[in-house]
């Protein structure tokens, strides 16, 4: 998030960020113009029309920023808008931090060109780090620019597209420098609850809970692997034992995954490709960032009686707390949410 706001060491990084953002601005077309242009592909026009309705709903019903973000469209000549490079030391599950003046420290560095991302990854790999590159269909400039709908976002279904608009606008509303788990959990809650209300407003049933349950189950498996690796790395073993233990834990994870899939999700194979590819510490980093505190935000929303302005006021108050105190408060909210869920007959 906030790619262009990230001040990385080196003019090359600044130059590619400025050039990349400038390209998006130069090629942006107004959604209102495209949906009325007879030359626009009818399928594209239909999707942009619905996205425009979701954008209006975000401000009018979810109390999200009412600005020019997601009122424009950019057709990219590539599958992703940026590529994020994640890195960890070889025997650590903690990210090599990338620290920037506005967004604070985050777990990745973003590049507009895949070749640049691969060059950055090669540099980190050469010094011994575990590295992973992830393509990103959308990102937020935190309100500094009018973020457009991107062609890379249209590979998603309507729910994911509309929910992403809610998610990114939430970042513009509240963002805590250097606290990725807080920011992403908050935006993810706004995305899921906002999508539920958006569907309800159109007489549609709630989003598919089966898919969400499977996603949550897989995330727990990955986080369990990360915990096991963290324990191994803290053991003080020598490098040879550490490497053998690392590969053993990854192999055991694949076995647990296959057992979980066959037991709980027979016939579902959506994560098979992810599991079959090479796994290292860096590839585990994105997991948990988007879900860690979502139960806490659900508890805050319930306390606000489902009123978005009151909910945002509570989140802003929480955001002003020192990080250690904020995390204690979030954990207490998570515990209360879990207790309430267990109390429901």
């Amino acid at each position: 998030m906030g790619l262009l706001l990230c001040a990385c060491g080196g003019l090359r990084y600044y130059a590619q960020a400025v050039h990349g953002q400038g390209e998006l601005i130069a090629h942006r077309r107004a959604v209102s113009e495209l949906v009325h242009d007879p030359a626009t592909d009818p399928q594209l026009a239909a999707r942009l029309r619905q996205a425009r309705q979701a954008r209006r709903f975000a401000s009018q019903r979810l109390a999200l920023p009412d600005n020019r973000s997601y009122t424009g469209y950019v057709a990219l000549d590539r599958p992703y808008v940026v590529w994020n490079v994640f890195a960890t030391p070889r025997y650590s599950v903690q990210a090599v931090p990338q620290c920037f003046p506005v967004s604070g420290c985050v777990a990745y560095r973003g590049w507009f060109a895949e070749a640049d991302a691969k060059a950055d990854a090669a540099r980190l790999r050469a010094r011994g780090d575990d590295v992973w590159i992830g393509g990103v269909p959308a990102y937020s400039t935190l309100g500094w620019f009018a973020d457009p709908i991107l062609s890379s976002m249209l590979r998603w279904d309507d729910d994911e597209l509309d929910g992403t608009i809610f998610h990114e606008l939430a970042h513009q509303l509240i963002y805590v420098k250097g606290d990725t788990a807080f920011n992403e959990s908050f935006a993810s809650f706004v995305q899921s609850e906002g999508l539920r209300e958006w569907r309800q407003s159109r007489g549609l049933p709630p989003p598919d809970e089966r898919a969400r349950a499977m996603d949550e189950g897989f995330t727990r498996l990955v986080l369990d692997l990360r915990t096991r690796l963290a324990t191994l790395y803290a053991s003080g073993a020598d490098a040879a034992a550490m490497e053998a233990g690392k590969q053993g834990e990854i192999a055991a994870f694949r076995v647990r995954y296959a057992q979980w899939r066959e037991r709980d999700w027979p016939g579902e194979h959506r994560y098979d490709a992810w599991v079959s590819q090479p796994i290292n510490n860096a590839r585990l980093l994105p997991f948990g960032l988007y879900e860690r505190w979502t139960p806490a935000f659900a508890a805050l929303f319930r306390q606000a009686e489902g009123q978005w302005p009151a909910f945002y006021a509570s989140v802003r108050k929480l955001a002003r707390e020192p990080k250690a105190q904020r995390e204690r408060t979030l954990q207490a909210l998570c515990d209360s949410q879990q207790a309430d869920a267990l109390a429901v007959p």
Side-chain angles (χ1 to χ4, degrees):
M1 301 298 170
L3 174 70
L4 197 64
L5 312 179
C6 299
C8 244
L11 291 176
R12 179 167 168 268
Y13 188 86
Y14 279 115
Q16 69 89 32
V18 171
H19 176 75
Q21 186 64 38
E23 285 284 297
L24 295 184
I25 294 171
H27 292 92
R28 183 175 56 205
R29 289 188 64 188
V31 169
S32 57
E33 172 190 325
L34 282 166
V35 298
H36 292 107
D37 186 343
T40 302
D41 176 83
Q43 186 176 4
L44 172 62
R47 298 209 68 195
L48 291 178
R49 194 173 292 112
Q50 176 165 311
R52 183 173 61 172
Q53 293 169 354
R55 176 66 187 86
R56 190 176 301 119
F57 181 88
S59 296
Q60 295 178 350
R61 298 285 292 278
L62 307 181
L64 290 168
D66 187 4
N67 55 31
R68 292 180 58 229
S69 288
Y70 307 107
T71 63
Y73 173 75
V74 174
L76 300 171
D77 59 357
R78 55 192 189 271
Y80 299 106
V81 62
V82 294
W83 284 262
N84 285 342
V85 178
F86 296 83
T88 71
R90 186 167 183 80
Y91 301 119
S92 172
V93 293
Q94 299 301 314
V96 175
Q98 306 295 329
C99 297
F100 313 118
V102 176
S103 57
C105 294
V106 295
Y108 55 82
R109 177 161 31 185
W111 299 88
F112 277 97
E114 185 178 15
D116 290 339
K118 288 181 175 179
D120 189 33
R123 176 185 63 82
L124 293 164
R125 199 175 288 114
R127 73 181 194 184
D129 290 338
D130 275 9
V131 182
W132 180 66
I133 301 173
V136 180
Y139 73 92
S140 172
T141 59
L142 306 182
W144 285 68
F145 296 91
D147 297 321
I149 297 169
L150 303 166
S151 57
S152 53
M153 298 164 66
L154 298 184
R155 72 180 66 191
W156 296 322
D157 62 20
D158 288 339
D159 277 355
E160 190 70 18
L161 173 61
D162 299 343
T164 297
I165 292 172
F166 303 156
H167 183 108
E168 302 300 351
L169 288 171
H171 282 311
Q172 293 187 16
L173 187 69
I174 300 173
Y175 185 90
V176 178
K177 184 177 178 179
D179 195 338
T180 301
F182 178 91
N183 295 326
E184 295 300 346
S185 296
F186 163 67
S188 292
F189 173 77
V190 173
Q191 175 175 350
S192 61
E193 177 60 26
L195 184 60
R196 187 193 66 77
E197 294 188 16
W198 168 229
R199 288 180 64 90
Q200 185 181 53
S201 74
R202 294 178 292 148
L204 299 175
D208 180 11
E209 288 302 316
R210 177 179 167 83
R212 182 174 178 176
M214 187 177 183
D215 290 344
E216 290 175 352
F218 182 71
T219 296
R220 284 193 295 270
L221 281 175
V222 176
L223 294 179
D224 176 67
L225 170 60
R226 197 161 71 190
T227 298
R228 291 168 184 262
L229 288 172
T231 300
L232 169 68
Y233 299 151
S235 68
D238 61 35
M242 201 86 78
E243 183 62 29
K246 177 181 181 179
Q247 298 309 318
E249 289 291 358
I250 291 170
F253 161 77
R254 290 192 169 104
V255 172
R256 289 193 298 275
Y257 165 75
Q259 293 170 340
W260 166 80
R261 184 197 61 201
E262 293 307 311
R263 182 187 68 243
D264 298 342
W265 305 97
E268 291 280 2
H269 299 279
R270 73 175 69 184
Y271 292 111
D272 287 10
W274 192 97
V275 172
S276 66
Q277 292 172 10
I279 296 173
N280 62 21
N281 303 321
R283 199 152 179 252
L284 309 179
L285 286 175
F287 287 86
L289 290 177
Y290 289 74
E291 305 89 5
R292 182 179 178 186
W293 301 122
T294 49
F297 291 110
L300 280 179
F301 192 72
R302 189 181 71 252
Q303 291 174 10
E305 299 181 340
Q307 299 300 307
W308 288 101
F311 167 67
Y312 296 141
S314 296
V315 175
R316 287 191 181 95
K317 181 179 178 182
L318 193 55
R320 290 192 292 269
E321 294 181 0
K323 186 173 183 179
Q325 176 59 44
R326 181 165 62 244
E327 291 193 346
R328 286 193 292 270
T329 303
L330 287 165
Q331 187 59 59
L333 287 164
C334 283
D335 293 343
S336 71
Q337 182 74 358
Q338 183 178 23
D340 288 347
L342 292 173
V344 175

